[in-house]
């Protein structure tokens, strides 16, 4: 066991780094973010085990994570929450800027709604097990045939079990705010199930977070929930146009809600 003086000396030695180094503070905050989420999964798992793998367990996950934004002093303004008041299944699509999107998701996540996530997440220890128990749908992005079969099955499950699915159509994180081309899986899913699409837009995080600058402070962001887009009557032939219209809508909304934040931070 380390002597007491050594245990006291370590934080004293790290304090100057915390005060003087932006990079050090950034990495410490990111490390705590991931570590805290993994730690929170520990009590969540036994609570979820009572039901087994069930989408209703996502309510437990949501409750466990909603406080994380307060630890970092991040204020989330939600607009258009009434647009989620739709009975029955639907597909939520949103931009994907970083792992911090989780905070905005937990702020507005409706009941019986789970995300579609990359299969690798399932193997991330306590977090992976909690996600599996909460009913998150895992896909192998490297194998298109597997991803398509999972999407087809998800469409049937949505209708059968009244489930809502949250999809990031960019497919991966995009830290600079410029949206990547949208993959069509979410739109094929919505058209196949003939369910509405609800676009959700996270504004720029530049007020408090910038990966390139290694900056992670307190600040504000906006989550805009847009009116639903109907897919009833659409076919596979309509998917390319639906995909592009959705992307254009998310881009224009991102520009609109991010402008005040970017202007305040001197980036616009």
């Amino acid at each position: 066991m380390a002597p007491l003086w050594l245990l006291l000396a370590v934080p004293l030695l790290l304090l100057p780094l915390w005060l003087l180094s932006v990079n050090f503070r950034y990495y410490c905050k990111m490390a705590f973010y991931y570590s805290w989420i993994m730690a929170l999964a520990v009590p969540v798992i036994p609570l979820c085990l009572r039901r087994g793998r069930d989408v209703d367990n996502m309510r437990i996950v949501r409750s466990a994570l909603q406080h994380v934004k307060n630890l970092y002093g991040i204020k989330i303004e939600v607009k258009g929450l009434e647009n989620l008041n739709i009975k029955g299944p639907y597909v939520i699509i949103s931009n994907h800027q970083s792992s911090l999107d989780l905070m905005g998701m937990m702020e507005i996540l409706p009941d019986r709604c789970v995300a579609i996530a990359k299969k690798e997440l399932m193997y991330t220890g306590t977090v992976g097990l909690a996600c599996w128990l909460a009913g998150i749908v895992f896909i192998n992005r490297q194998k298109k045939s597997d991803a398509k079969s999972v999407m087809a099955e998800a469409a049937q499950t949505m209708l059968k079990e009244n489930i809502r699915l949250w999809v990031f159509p960019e497919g991966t994180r995009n830290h600079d705010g410029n949206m990547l081309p949208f993959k069509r899986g979410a739109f094929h899913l919505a058209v196949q199930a003939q369910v509405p699409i609800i676009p959700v837009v996270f504004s720029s995080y530049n007020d408090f977070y910038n990966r390139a600058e290694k900056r992670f402070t307190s600040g504000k962001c906006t989550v805009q929930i847009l009116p639903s887009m109907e897919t009833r009557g659409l076919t596979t032939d309509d998917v390319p146009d639906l995909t592009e219209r959705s992307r254009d809508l998310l881009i224009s909304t991102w520009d609109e809600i991010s402008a005040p934040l970017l202007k305040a931070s001197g980036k616009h």
Side-chain angles (χ1 to χ4, degrees):
M1 184 174 179
L4 181 60
W5 66 266
L6 183 59
L7 294 176
L8 294 174
V10 170
L12 290 175
L13 291 172
L14 294 178
L15 182 59
L17 279 174
W18 177 267
L19 295 174
L20 299 174
S21 173
V22 173
N23 284 7
F24 183 74
R25 288 198 298 272
Y26 170 84
Y27 286 115
C28 283
K29 287 184 175 184
M30 290 305 298
F32 178 79
Y33 179 75
Y34 292 119
S35 299
W36 185 239
I37 290 173
M38 292 185 74
L40 288 171
V42 174
V44 163
I45 289 169
L47 293 174
C48 292
L49 281 171
R50 293 181 300 173
R51 290 194 188 97
R53 180 169 163 82
D54 192 313
V55 294
D56 282 332
N57 283 330
M58 186 54 75
R59 287 185 290 182
I60 299 172
V61 174
R62 180 181 62 196
S63 298
L65 293 174
Q66 281 183 328
H67 74 283
V68 174
K69 65 182 184 297
N70 299 323
L71 299 178
Y72 288 91
I74 296 170
K75 182 179 179 182
I76 300 175
E77 180 183 8
V78 177
K79 297 181 178 181
L81 191 61
E82 67 278 2
N83 291 319
L84 289 176
N85 294 332
I86 298 177
K87 293 182 179 180
Y90 48 78
V91 175
I92 296 176
I93 59 169
S94 69
N95 56 318
H96 194 14
Q97 298 181 120
S98 86
S99 57
L100 302 183
D101 295 340
L102 186 65
M103 292 187 283
M105 284 182 67
M106 294 302 106
E107 195 74 5
I108 66 167
L109 190 75
D111 288 341
R112 299 194 64 75
C113 180
V114 295
I116 291 181
K118 58 184 181 180
K119 194 173 183 180
E120 292 85 346
L121 181 63
M122 191 163 56
Y123 306 110
T124 54
T126 55
V127 171
L129 179 55
C131 288
W132 183 84
L133 287 167
I136 284 180
V137 178
F138 297 101
I139 61 171
N140 187 343
R141 296 185 302 182
Q142 307 304 318
K143 293 184 179 180
K144 289 187 177 180
S145 58
D146 288 355
K148 286 182 179 179
S149 64
V150 169
M151 286 292 198
E153 185 180 339
Q156 296 176 7
T157 303
M158 284 180 70
L159 298 174
K160 184 179 179 182
E161 301 183 18
N162 189 30
I163 293 173
R164 294 82 181 259
L165 290 174
W166 189 306
V167 186
F168 296 102
E170 291 172 278
T172 190
R173 301 171 196 166
N174 180 32
H175 294 274
D176 64 7
N178 298 315
M179 288 187 206
L180 299 171
F182 281 8
K183 299 181 184 299
R184 295 176 181 174
F187 305 95
H188 278 293
L189 172 66
V191 168
Q192 183 176 341
Q194 294 286 283
V195 298
I197 295 171
I198 300 181
V200 170
V201 186
F202 301 120
S203 70
S204 170
Y205 295 159
N206 198 70
D207 187 51
F208 59 88
Y209 174 83
N210 188 295
R211 186 188 185 190
E213 298 174 3
K214 299 294 182 284
R215 176 169 53 82
F216 191 1
T217 61
S218 58
K220 301 177 182 177
C221 74
T222 301
V223 179
Q224 177 74 62
I225 306 160
L226 298 170
S228 63
M229 304 172 68
E230 278 298 331
T231 64
R232 193 169 301 165
L234 299 185
T235 68
T236 302
D237 293 337
D238 298 304
V239 167
D241 176 67
L242 179 63
T243 303
E244 289 308 307
R245 284 193 293 112
S246 299
R247 183 173 181 270
D248 290 343
L249 179 60
L250 264 68
I251 289 173
S252 62
T253 303
W254 188 91
D255 289 339
E256 180 183 342
I257 64 178
S258 297
L261 298 171
L262 293 171
K263 185 176 181 180
S265 62
K267 298 289 182 179
H268 192 66

